[in-house]
Structure formats: C-alpha cells, structure tokens
Amino acid sequence: MRVLALITWCSLAAAAAEWPDFVPPKDSGVVNVKDYGAVGDGKTDDTAAIRKAISENIDRSRYAAPPMIWLPSGTYLVSAPIEGRQYKDLKGWSFGWRAGFLLVGQGRTKSVLKLKDACEGYTDAANPRYVVATGSEMNGGGGNEGGGGNQAFRHCIANLTVDVGSGNPGATGIDFIANNRGTVENVLIRAPAGSGRTGLAMDRNWPGPGLIKAVEIQGFDTGISMAGNWQYSMTFEDIVLKDQAKVGVWSEHNPIFMHRLTASGKAPAVRIKDSDQMLVLVDAVITGTGATEPAIATPGIADIRNLSCTGYATVIDGKDANDVAAKDAKLATKVASWRQGWQTCAQAGAPRPLGLPVEETPLWWPTSEKDWVNGAGDVQKAIDSGAPVVYLPNGSYEVDKTIVIKGTTKKLVGFQSSLKAKQGVTPLLRIEGNASIIFEHLYFEGDVEHAGSGTAVFRHADFAGDAVYRATGAGKTFIEDVIGRWSIGKGHRLWARQTNAEFGDRVLMENNGGTAWILGYKTEADAGTISLKQVGGSTEVLGALIYPLHDVRGDVPCWQVEGGGRFSASWVYNSKRYHVHVRHEGKDFTGNWDRGPALWSTEAAPK
C-alpha cells in the first residue's frame, strides 16, 4: 500500500496546484467509505453508503478524538446532501447535527463528490440546497434543525472536489459552519455554466472562527457568501475565484480577514453590505473582463493593502477613507493601502502597519510507507527511533512522562487524537536543541514548551483548558487553525493563521521580545482578560475579533504594549468592548469605538 502524508503540502499562492495524496495507514482509525458500500465509479449513487459511514462513526468522540471520514480516489455520485449528522435519528437530539465532522479525500482532483445532473431538489434557484454541510450541536436549549449555532467545533473538509453538476441552478457546493477552529482546505468547488447558486456558503448563525485555505471556486452566481449574523469571523488564505455570475465574495456583517486573493471574471470581486462589517484584505490580484461595477465595494471598516486590479473602471468604492494613500485609489491599478473606519494611533499622524516579513508554513510529507511508525504503544520510543513520521491512531492517549522532541522525527500526526499528561506531569511535551517538527490534528491536554532553535508547526490542533504553549528558545513557530494560548520569548518568531484564544481571566497571548505576525485572531474575554501583553518585540495583527463575554474591568486594556514594543493591529469588537483599547507605555487610549478601528499602531506614518 502506498502511504502518503495527512493533508500536508507546501503552501502555494495559487490554490489550483495539485497537492500530495492522503492515503492513511490501515490502522489509523480513519473511516473508509468504501468499507460501507461506496463505489466511487461516477455511475453508482453513493449517497446512502457515505451517509452510513458518517452516521455509524460521528458519535464516537466529537471533541477530543472525532473520526475522519475518508474518500479514497474516485468519483462519488450523490443525489442528496452529505452532512455531518447522525442519520439514525434526524428528529432526535440536535436534529442529528454533531461537532467533529471531518470529510477528507485522497486528493483534490482524485476524490470527487459529484451531484447528479438535473437532480431533484436542486433545480430551483430560488430554493437553494447544499451538497455538503457541517452543522452545530444544540446550544442553550434552542432548536437548530438547520444546523446553525455556535457549537460547530473541529469540522474539516479537505483534499477533494465538490462538483454540483449540470442543470442544478439551486445547488450550493459546501454550506460550512465552524466555531473556534475548523477548516475547508485544499478544495475545488465547481459549477458548469448555468448551474450553481453559491460555491461556499457561510450564511447560518454563527460562522467562525475558522480557516479557509487553498480553496478554488469556479462558476456559481456567488463564490463565497457570509450573509448571517455578525458573529464571529473567518480567516482566508490563498483563495482563487473564477467566473462568478454575480459576485466573488459577499458579506453582510461577518468580519473577513483575507491574505492572497486571486479573482477573475465579469462580476465584482468583493461586496460588503453594512457599515458594521470589517474587511482586511492583503495581497490581492483582481482581473476584470468587461466588468462594469467596482471591483471592491465596502461601506464598513476596511484595511486593504497591496491590491493589484485591472479591468474595472473603479477599483474601490468605499467611504471616509482617511489614509493619505487612499485618495487616488478609486482609479488606480495598484493600491498600496486603503483604510476607512474608526482609528487612532499612539503618536501624532496617521498610523501605519509594521509590514513584518511573512513566512509560509513549512510543511513536509513522507513518500514511503516505511517512513511511518505507529506510536500508540510508546510515543517516546517511537520518536526516539528517528522515524520521519510518528502517528497516533484515532483515540485518546495518556503519558506519565514528558515527551521530549530532540531527534529527527519530522511529524507527529494525531488523526485527530488526544494526548494527555497524567496528573503532575508538566510539560506534556518539550522541543529541544535544533529539532523541527510538525504537529497535525492533535488535542493537547497539557503544556507544550519549545526551548530549542528549530521550528514547531501546529495545524488543526487544540490546547485544552489551562494548557499553554511557551516558546523560550530562539526558534520559530507556525500556527494554522489552532485553539490555544501562546507565549513567545526574546528572539522567537511566530506566524499564525487563524488562532482562537480564550479560557478564563488571564493574558491570552504574550510576546516578551519576540516577533509575531497574526492573520485572524479571535478572543473570548472575562472581566480581567488582556488579549495581548507585549514587552519589547514586534506584533502585527491582520484582523482580530475581540469578544468580551462579560463587562471588562475599567483598568484592563485589550492590548498592552510596553518596553519599546512595536505593534499594529486591525480589529473589531463583538458584543461588549473594552474601556481601555490600548495601553502603550503606560498611557491609556480609550475612544468611543462601537466596533473597532481600521488600524491602530504605535508608529505614525511619515509626514
């Protein structure tokens, strides 16, 4: 059997590139839909078989170790929705919706979910229906027959294509909702001409936070839609939109934090409806063909940087743009910066972003079955063997001694497993020397320390409860779609794409002299919670949603910057807000910000 890595690839600006296969070890605990009768020949209706695979496994462990549903190479014809539900009783608890729905293919062009042409239930554009959907579990006793809510934890749709077929103008490719973490990753969503209403819909209450990465959408009336409640936020990176009939990205209220967008066609690329929405868009290339409307229209809070646009009479249709570089942006083909909305800064003059260098998440995958070692019996022994990949079959594991990473193992793959430190064992895991390692699909019940000079990568992972990640060495850390609290020391460098930090009345992120670049940061705060405490070093936040759950004490800042630290951030508030927005070198900045500023920085733009 050929065995390759678990959903790993080199990060690419163009989402269209083919990425490596995902063929899991047979003892990984991954659920193969063919074991439940799916054929994948493009002719047989596989709807019932795929639903059976989901229904018989999704309740196994929805939090610490939810199972993966795997679609090996093939074209799976479907005639009804494929959902993250317990199909045995759709009228039972939570109408069958469950957290922890992971639907993973072998490869983006190899595993295809194909809707039947002119399929019953999908032919009416006025009554949209999805092909694939995640959902939320019951919240607060309210009904959620449609799957909306804020307990849609740890969903993952990856490594596949969703094709809505011909003659289905009411078809939505993926209707996605996730909370705290969740991802649509390495996915192609396509619709033939005249078919398809929405490629990726996130219209139910309440999407986010989550990461949409390396997704290409071809056709449809609307590429990406976020038309629901203003909670919470979504992070996007490496998005390709082609030939939408009406609009590429549509949002009413939900904050969008996006890095690297490539859009082409006749339709507008981005449309924002309301002034309470926030758009952060960095490094975009938009190419119009006979376009008559503005490429981007937003009345809300906006922080747009490094935009290249051709083929549109108007590039940005906004209001109240108060950045000096924005005044001529409407007709420019290149826009260095456009900022509008509430803002202030710690020094006189307009604020400016730090422009920290961006590094791509370093990812690696094995090419041989011999590279994999099962670590279920003894994780430390497996790591000490020097195996390139140590994997933990889907399940829960408890260790009675700190796991030390100091050798040549390149990856610890969890298949969405939990790793727990027994009482008195701390930290759970420590990285030493020049070791570099990638952690994927793991649930850490204990602290992790990075004391070395190498690189640590965390993807689709949780730090449960009081667990925290501490980087004291001069190495690097990369984060993608992770729940947790973070602390980095002097000389350490961190790049984060979609991180959720909460859990109590404490500092959620600390930067003690390091460098941090963050795309998409969501917090939940109690009365005394500081979102970031920085002493020296540099931090740049490209989009944050700050969510105080309770009234914050008047002496507690959202952001605290001391010791000559360099800081810039774009953010909005959700629900309650802080009285002290920024404490910079002991000086408090308050202001009447209903939602947040387009940009706040410790540095002023040169006059």
Side-chain angles (χ1 to χ4, degrees):
M1 179 181 68
R2 186 167 60 116
V3 183
L4 295 174
L6 170 64
I7 322 175
T8 55
W9 47 79
C10 291
S11 181
L12 304 175
E18 178 66 8
W19 292 353
D21 284 6
F22 165 42
V23 181
K26 289 183 178 180
D27 61 352
S28 63
V30 168
V31 177
N32 187 335
V33 297
K34 289 192 173 182
D35 291 338
Y36 292 80
V39 179
D41 62 358
K43 300 177 182 179
T44 305
D45 191 331
D46 287 320
T47 307
I50 296 172
R51 284 182 165 188
K52 183 178 180 182
I54 296 167
S55 188
E56 293 190 7
N57 292 278
I58 199 167
D59 268 334
R60 188 195 305 169
S61 174
R62 304 188 307 279
Y63 291 95
M68 290 184 175
I69 311 299
W70 182 51
L71 300 168
S73 183
T75 296
Y76 298 85
L77 196 65
V78 296
S79 55
I82 302 301
E83 304 154 304
R85 300 179 80 174
Q86 170 53 266
Y87 284 99
K88 294 178 182 179
D89 186 6
L90 295 182
K91 296 296 183 181
W93 181 76
S94 199
F95 294 91
W97 293 104
R98 297 293 188 266
F101 178 42
L102 294 93
L103 185 68
V104 183
Q106 179 173 335
R108 196 174 82 164
T109 62
K110 294 183 177 180
S111 299
V112 180
L113 281 170
K114 169 71 164 57
L115 183 65
K116 286 184 176 180
D117 293 341
C119 186
E120 183 179 358
Y122 292 91
T123 58
D124 184 0
N127 292 285
R129 193 183 193 195
Y130 48 72
V131 178
V132 178
T134 63
S136 171
E137 297 185 351
M138 196 72 77
N139 178 36
N144 68 330
E145 186 171 2
N150 64 357
Q151 297 190 52
F153 305 125
R154 300 170 186 86
H155 294 315
C156 172
I157 299 173
N159 253 30
L160 52 80
T161 289
V162 176
D163 187 326
V164 303
S166 299
N168 295 312
T172 290
I174 298 175
D175 196 326
F176 187 70
I177 186 170
N179 302 123
N180 291 356
R181 78 167 175 87
T183 189
V184 179
E185 189 171 54
N186 191 28
V187 167
L188 171 63
I189 310 171
R190 66 188 179 204
S195 192
R197 172 156 169 171
T198 304
L200 177 61
M202 291 174 281
D203 298 333
R204 292 170 290 167
N205 296 345
W206 298 274
L211 177 65
I212 311 299
K213 184 177 176 69
V215 169
E216 179 173 336
I217 301 174
Q218 300 174 356
F220 297 92
D221 287 342
T222 299
I224 297 171
S225 176
M226 298 177 69
N229 190 281
W230 49 271
Q231 295 176 334
Y232 295 94
S233 60
M234 292 297 296
T235 301
F236 301 80
E237 188 171 50
D238 295 335
I239 305 300
V240 176
L241 303 174
K242 294 181 178 179
D243 300 323
Q244 279 70 58
K246 295 181 178 179
V247 65
V249 179
W250 164 259
S251 178
E252 292 189 6
H253 306 281
N254 300 89
I256 291 175
F257 312 138
M258 185 176 291
H259 181 224
R260 290 197 299 254
L261 166 68
T262 302
S264 60
K266 296 181 179 180
V270 180
R271 280 286 178 273
I272 307 301
K273 178 182 178 182
D274 292 318
S275 61
D276 63 357
Q277 202 265 14
M278 183 178 203
L279 172 67
V280 175
L281 178 61
V282 179
D283 297 337
V285 178
I286 301 174
T287 305
T289 305
T292 59
E293 299 182 57
I296 297 173
T298 173
I301 306 168
D303 183 2
I304 300 172
R305 312 178 197 173
N306 193 24
L307 166 66
S308 176
C309 182
T310 57
Y312 289 85
T314 300
V315 176
I316 301 175
D317 181 10
K319 70 172 186 177
D320 300 327
N322 45 23
D323 183 85
V324 292
K327 60 182 181 180
D328 297 322
K330 286 191 174 184
L331 298 177
T333 56
K334 292 186 180 296
V335 179
S337 62
W338 174 285
R339 303 180 196 116
Q340 65 184 37
W342 301 276
Q343 63 177 269
T344 187
C345 98
Q347 300 179 19
R352 62 175 177 179
L354 297 188
L356 296 179
V358 181
E359 289 194 15
E360 301 309 313
T361 305
L363 301 169
W364 173 87
W365 57 94
T367 57
S368 170
E369 182 177 0
K370 296 178 181 179
D371 290 337
W372 294 71
V373 170
N374 188 326
D378 189 330
V379 181
Q380 187 67 68
K381 183 179 179 180
I383 290 171
D384 290 344
S385 74
V389 181
V390 173
Y391 69 95
L392 299 175
N394 178 250
S396 299
Y397 302 85
E398 191 173 53
V399 299
D400 56 10
K401 187 177 180 180
T402 296
I403 299 170
V404 179
I405 309 290
K406 59 181 179 181
T408 58
T409 293
K410 297 181 180 180
K411 179 174 286 188
L412 180 60
V413 177
F415 292 99
Q416 201 52 55
S417 295
S418 67
L419 195 56
K420 181 179 181 179
K422 286 187 177 180
Q423 187 173 358
V425 175
T426 186
L428 165 65
L429 189 148
R430 184 170 60 249
I431 305 165
E432 298 180 350
N434 62 357
S436 293
I437 188 165
I438 300 165
F439 302 98
E440 286 186 346
H441 291 285
L442 281 162
Y443 187 90
F444 298 99
E445 296 186 67
D447 294 351
V448 175
E449 292 184 1
H450 184 357
S453 58
T455 296
V457 179
F458 297 87
R459 303 184 70 245
H460 316 309
D462 294 64
F463 286 80
D466 292 332
V468 64
Y469 173 78
R470 295 184 179 89
T472 58
K476 298 179 181 179
T477 298
F478 293 83
I479 298 165
E480 290 192 351
D481 186 36
V482 175
I483 299 170
R485 294 186 298 121
W486 311 92
S487 175
I488 64 172
K490 186 176 181 180
H492 198 87
R493 289 169 288 173
L494 177 145
W495 289 267
R497 284 123 166 129
Q498 201 304 86
T499 182
N500 178 85
E502 46 187 90
F503 310 121
D505 196 356
R506 70 194 93 182
V507 177
L508 298 178
M509 182 176 292
E510 294 187 59
N511 181 357
N512 296 305
T515 300
W517 179 90
I518 304 166
L519 173 70
Y521 178 39
K522 177 257 181 183
T523 71
E524 289 189 22
D526 287 333
T529 306
I530 298 175
S531 297
L532 168 74
K533 184 177 181 181
Q534 179 177 336
V535 180
S538 300
T539 301
E540 184 166 25
V541 181
L542 301 176
L545 182 108
I546 308 300
Y547 182 27
L549 294 173
H550 308 285
D551 290 326
V552 181
R553 295 200 317 264
D555 63 326
V556 176
C558 179
W559 314 92
Q560 182 169 326
V561 184
E562 303 169 349
R566 303 171 64 235
F567 169 81
S568 70
S570 302
W571 77 92
V572 287
Y573 289 113
N574 186 334
S575 185
K576 302 178 185 296
R577 62 185 177 89
Y578 284 77
H579 302 283
V580 178
H581 306 301
V582 181
R583 179 168 294 152
H584 178 235
E585 305 296 359
K587 182 179 179 181
D588 288 349
F589 292 83
T590 54
N592 183 24
W593 296 337
D594 292 332
R595 295 215 65 192
L599 181 70
W600 199 101
S601 77
T602 61
E603 300 185 357
K607 295 182 179 180

